[in-house]
Amino acid sequence: MNSNIVLIGFMGCGKSSIGRRLAKRLGHEFLDTDDLIIAHAQGTSISELFANDGEERFRERESAELRELVEAKDIVLATGGGAILREENRALLHRIGRIVWLHADPETLFERASRNRKRPLLDVENPRSTFNALLESRLPIYESAADIQVDATGLPHEQTVDEIIRVLAVGDVPKASSGAS
Ligand code: S3P
């Protein structure tokens, strides 16, 4: 197995900030599927891509980025919250590296996910009910796609990184890890 780490999880769980720190600690390169999509779309933002081309086209771009990464080495990859929706993507993510589901309680996720308007799926009239419905439908997918789970609720980012490294070192046996008590 290569040493790549793939972070999955709902919007607002901290994949990018935690992933960046984790990469630094491991001496890996940090990549983020949203950033790769934006770079390949000549800087067009995620919100503009959703507005101009629709979600399905965005999902195609996401899959295209993942296909490019199957040979990547020594990376920490943060994925968009919906990257696990396609079966093709889930298979690609498993080929890329060990999949860590970064989770947090719904209040934390909602507060962080709605801090800015960079998330088109929540830029709607009633973001909380959309958030609830998306979270409910996706939780089982994160759970089954993950090799390892880490609950970041209440943990500062550096401690979440410690926890991810600890759980990775233990191996795949304990699927769940609770951060804060
Ligand atoms: C999405 C999550 C976003 C981004 C896009 C769609 C989703 O990424 O890919 O807005 O479907 O959950 P983050 O999880 O980094 O916010």
Side-chain angles (χ1 to χ4, degrees):
M1 187 64 177
N2 63 41
S3 68
N4 296 341
I5 309 293
V6 174
L7 297 179
I8 63 168
F10 203 77
M11 293 176 267
C13 71
K15 290 163 296 200
S16 302
S17 8
I18 291 164
R20 210 167 273 119
R21 287 175 164 84
L22 178 64
K24 208 169 172 186
R25 289 270 288 276
L26 298 175
H28 282 21
E29 183 185 1
F30 174 72
L31 296 172
D32 182 310
T33 54
D34 282 354
D35 292 345
L36 294 170
I37 291 169
I38 292 169
H40 284 141
Q42 271 84 41
T44 311
S45 72
I46 300 293
S47 295
E48 282 169 324
L49 289 173
F50 265 72
N52 298 341
D53 307 334
E55 181 171 350
E56 202 44 37
R57 176 75 189 106
F58 175 80
R59 298 296 172 206
E60 277 160 27
R61 290 177 185 273
E62 206 164 41
S63 297
E65 296 302 338
L66 296 180
R67 278 183 225 119
E68 292 292 312
L69 293 173
V70 287
E71 303 288 333
K73 299 250 176 327
D74 299 332
I75 61 164
V76 172
L77 176 68
T79 58
I84 42 69
L85 294 175
R86 288 184 166 195
E87 194 181 338
E88 177 198 357
N89 291 1
R90 296 195 293 273
L92 287 166
L93 294 173
H94 278 294
R95 287 174 64 192
I96 293 170
R98 292 172 85 188
I99 302 182
V100 178
W101 172 28
L102 208 50
H103 193 37
D105 68 42
E107 293 319 311
T108 305
L109 293 175
F110 184 70
E111 193 275 311
R112 289 204 206 138
S114 46
R115 261 182 209 166
N116 58 50
R117 300 191 70 192
K118 287 187 183 160
R119 296 186 166 98
L121 291 177
L122 298 179
D123 197 5
V124 293
E125 202 172 318
N126 190 342
R128 185 65 207 223
S129 67
T130 303
F131 167 92
N132 288 343
L134 282 175
L135 184 62
E136 194 190 347
S137 66
R138 290 178 179 184
L139 283 178
I141 311 179
Y142 294 124
E143 181 160 25
S144 70
D147 295 311
I148 287 162
Q149 302 177 13
V150 171
D151 186 343
T153 308
L155 291 183
H157 287 341
E158 282 303 330
Q159 256 175 273
T160 305
V161 171
D162 291 342
E163 183 61 8
I164 294 171
I165 291 172
R166 189 188 69 77
V167 178
L168 285 169
V170 172
D172 287 347
V173 185
K175 197 167 179 178
S177 156
S178 176
S181 52

